Amino acid sequence: MSDRPPGPGPVTVLLDPGGRIIGWSEGAARLFGRGAGEAVGTSLPELLGRPAAAEPLATALKPAASGRSWSGVLPLSDGGVSVLCDPMIREDGGTAVALTVSPPWAGGLDLLNEAGRRIGSTLDLHLTAREIVAVTVPRFADAGAIYVLERLLADDDHPAAEADGSAVVRRLAVAFAEDDPRDWSREFPVNEVIVYPPSTPYARCLTTGTMIEFGGEAVQDTMAHRTGRVLDGLLDHVSLLALPLVARGRALGFAVFSRKRDRPPFTAADTALASELAGRAATCVDNACLYRREHRTATTLKAGLLPAGITVPPGLEIAHRYLPARSGVGGDWYDVVPLPGDKVAVVIGDSVGHGVTAAAAMGQLRVAAHTLASCEFPPGEVLERLDAIAQDLDAAQFATCQCLVCDPATLRCELACAGHPPPLLALPDGTARHFTVPHGLPLGVSDPAHPAEYRQVSARIPPGAVLAFYTDGLVESRLRSVDEGIARLASALTASRADSLEETADGVLTLLADQRGHDDIALLLIRPAR
């Protein structure tokens, strides 16, 4: 179910026979921008500052006295609003009139529908902000901007609000009408961090949680205070709205919309439409903020868990690469564990999923694998014990994994596999083949009553050959099968042969550059030292 507020529909206001308001719904408050405390006891023309509508409203109410309905247009806004007057009997036996008002803005529902289609197409915060202003300028306003609280973008998980009530915000997107000065983009740059004092409309809309209407003088005064400059043309924006962006009861920032002198100022109906837009925008901004925080957390966690450097035993060369996905940090991991007698254990794996959960599971499995390998358990037993650990993780996680133990003196290897793509062996003669290994179940798939068994095989790395371990991000694609992806990797390995193993690793990733960004990629190359 969507978290977005529903589109605006007709609202009903209860009037007594004389036209005084006796019932005021939340929908009416949104539509007209007035609360029940302000509305009840007054007449609509008086409340909306439309004295010319008093006589037409009285005419519309007359049929209700004889039990008849009336429908038509009343001048309660610049363009008029469509209303329906229905007589009704109150609980105390008295009479009343139910005045049903349809939202009067031209094209408002179409604008909201377009906003629903275009805003929030991604979880990128800056792109979401640009989508908001692109929908509203120039269709609804001559200028628009989105500001998000700077503390929500900070690394601190529990940011504190400003004690003095000022608003410290970052401008994420801005758009101006085509006839505005071109150099305004320099005066209102994206990503600028601004401190608005508590007295400004921008700070007040955040502290009060309500829309603030103001004129161009406030913008000019604020700009002059901050920069010492007066911008020609800024006072042409005579009607402005500052709307808080609130989601899940939390203020995220605010949106600003403005109209120029040659356009009608914002009406009560326009402010209702702006409130609906702000509500939808806030939900999308909140989703983007949550994703940004989770992605940063997962990236930081992953960076702290992957080995910054590895210890290479005498007799071997090792090159390793890790490339994170552009979005949705995954669970790829690898490790190189020195063992007694100059032997070495190599472990590579991939926890299913993305985000913090996958990164946390990866961290637990990597630490466990490092410990098990350092205790000199053979590869098959390392995987059996990891499988039991994977079943006990708080969030059930499946993972693929490979474990190898190599003796550089003899180049003899012991190898076991848990559902991971097979390693490749690039030979000195320019050919490449699979480094054969039995394909066991992924970690965490079995249950304690039927534990998985991982067969272990022995093999030897030929002198001058390169043994490649990798994760599926390097071979999986929507355009080709995994087998085709592995064949491409084999070709890239042979084509990238170089004296330096580091150059070989870079060459492979260059040739397979189209795989980058879609998923995490880990690549680990081993070659007997020359």
Side-chain angles (χ1 to χ4, degrees), residues 437-464:
V437 57
H439 203 71
L441 289 174
L443 304 177
V445 172
S446 63
D447 60 76
H450 304 86
E453 295 183 2
Y454 298 98
R455 289 178 53 203
Q456 183 174 303
V457 296
S458 297
R460 186 173 179 273
I461 303 176

Side-chain angles (χ1 to χ4, degrees), residues 7 43 156 195 215 221 257 347 398 432 485 505:
S43 68
D156 187 0
V195 180
D221 291 346
F257 301 118
V347 186
F398 300 149

